[in-house]
Amino acid sequence: MDIPTPLNSTSSQFLQKFTAFIRVRGLSYATEKTYLHWVKRFILFNQYRSMDEISTN
């Protein structure tokens, strides 16, 4: 059984808010891990650019 880990103080503020958002909604821990994985991949793909920079291209 997977047990959710406490929110990590070393992760970015965005990822902490995103994790809190998922947990408030009551989604499963497996869903949380999957969503975080894809969000991190999206951020890396866009080379850490802000959403404003991404949307103007």
Side-chain angles (χ1 to χ4, degrees):
M1 176 170 142
D2 273 340
I3 299 173
T5 58
L7 295 178
N8 189 352
S9 62
T10 61
S11 66
S12 73
Q13 186 178 8
F14 171 76
L15 292 178
Q16 288 178 0
K17 286 182 179 182
F18 189 74
T19 301
F21 175 82
I22 292 171
R23 291 184 181 181
V24 167
R25 300 269 184 288
L27 300 175
S28 74
Y29 184 56
T31 302
E32 176 184 326
K33 290 192 307 187
T34 301
Y35 283 12
L36 285 172
H37 169 77
W38 283 108
V39 166
K40 289 175 184 178
R41 285 180 56 110
F42 181 78
I43 291 169
L44 288 172
F45 175 78
N46 287 291
Q47 301 171 347
Y48 298 97
R49 292 182 292 168
S50 70
M51 289 303 292
D52 294 333
E53 292 174 327
I54 293 169
S55 63
T56 60
N57 291 336

